[in-house]
């Protein structure tokens, strides 16, 4: 969930220190449930740091303990993180099975926020697998829960996923229109605005706008460098393919010029560029 929510990586070391100390304390006190919960958090942090094997091992250990205790809330959390690992490596079948289990556990726990987040993450994973119907269904259910809870971080995340669902349903041009209108409305945080701009850069590439695609990508990398740390290997591979296509379409000189111009853009200029996304590129 830390990756999905866009948590910044600069405090990972402090978080690891805290969770490891808390785990030792709870274990010494004999509070096995609390100790299992800290294992889950530590696993997520290691995954965010880039040590996927260690992170997955810790979340698996937390899940085993949660099942032993009959702790459905921790099961829902751990299963969702396991589903994210499967999603990261492009194993949609495993991700679907794990999200099904996580959603069932969230329902059993009676925690509406965990259920809403699990449904939202499942919607994004469904986009990755290309299942627009399932993505829309999960997104609709998550949106109803998030609105009822007034979960603002969740609502920001849902609007990000909405753009991906629209792209599946109606194509990249429709997704660009949605992203532009959403950002113009001014409802997003800076981080979520830039995450949507990152999606817009890929849509521009698919709409035959390689220069604008490269500029937006470079702008996001300059203004939100932490984003590349929270994107999955699948997302990073898609990004690299987009950049390779832009370089091939523009030629090396024009491509490098687009990257330089994009990296120099201010935040406000990047937002203004989205209103021009329908204008033909001029390399």
């Amino acid at each position: 969930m830390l990756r999905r929510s866009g948590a910044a990586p600069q405090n990972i070391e402090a978080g690891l220190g805290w969770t490891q100390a808390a785990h030792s304390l709870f274990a010494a006190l004999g509070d096995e449930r609390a100790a299992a919960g800290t294992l889950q958090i530590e696993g997520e942090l290691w995954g965010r740091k880039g040590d996927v094997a260690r992170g997955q091992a810790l979340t698996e250990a937390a899940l085993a303990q949660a099942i032993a205790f009959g702790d459905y809330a921790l099961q829902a959390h751990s299963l969702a993180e396991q589903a994210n690992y499967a999603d990261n490596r492009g194993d949609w079948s495993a991700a679907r099975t794990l999200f099904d289990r996580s959603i069932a556990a969230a329902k059993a726990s009676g925690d509406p926020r965990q259920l809403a987040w699990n449904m939202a993450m499942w919607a994004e994973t469904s986009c990755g697998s290309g299942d627009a119907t399932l993505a829309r269904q999960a997104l609709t259910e998550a949106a109803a829960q998030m609105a009822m809870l007034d979960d603002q971080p969740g609502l920001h995340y849902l609007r990000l996923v909405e753009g991906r669902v629209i792209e599946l349903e109606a194509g990249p041009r429709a997704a660009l229109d949605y992203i532009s209108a959403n950002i113009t409305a001014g409802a997003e945080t800076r981080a979520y605005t830039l995450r949507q701009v990152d999606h817009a850069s890929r849509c521009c590439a698919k709409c035959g706008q390689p220069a604008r695609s490269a500029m937006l990508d470079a702008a996001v990398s300059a203004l939100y460098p932490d984003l590349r740390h929270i994107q999955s290997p699948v997302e990073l591979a898609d990004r690299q393919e987009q950049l390779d296509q832009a370089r091939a379409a523009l030629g090396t000189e024009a491509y490098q010029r687009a990257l330089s111009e994009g990296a120099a853009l201010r935040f406000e200029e990047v937002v203004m560029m989205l209103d021009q996304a329908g204008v033909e590129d001029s390399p």
Side-chain angles (χ1 to χ4, degrees), residues 176 224 248 266 277:
L176 274 174
Y224 190 6
R266 300 190 306 274

Side-chain angles (χ1 to χ4, degrees), residues 196-228:
Q196 292 201 33
V197 171
D198 189 62
H199 180 203
S201 74
R202 291 192 290 278
C203 290
C204 284
K206 295 172 185 176
C207 289
Q209 301 174 24
R212 184 165 287 111
S213 174
M215 288 181 68
L216 289 174
D217 181 272
V220 171
S221 294
L223 292 167
Y224 190 6
D226 290 343
L227 178 61
R228 305 307 176 204

Side-chain angles (χ1 to χ4, degrees), residues 16 19-20 38-47 54 58:
L16 281 170
T19 55
Q20 289 163 350
T38 59
L39 274 185
Q40 171 61 38
I41 298 171
E42 185 182 349
E44 290 188 56
L45 289 169
W46 279 113
R54 188 170 185 174
L58 287 167

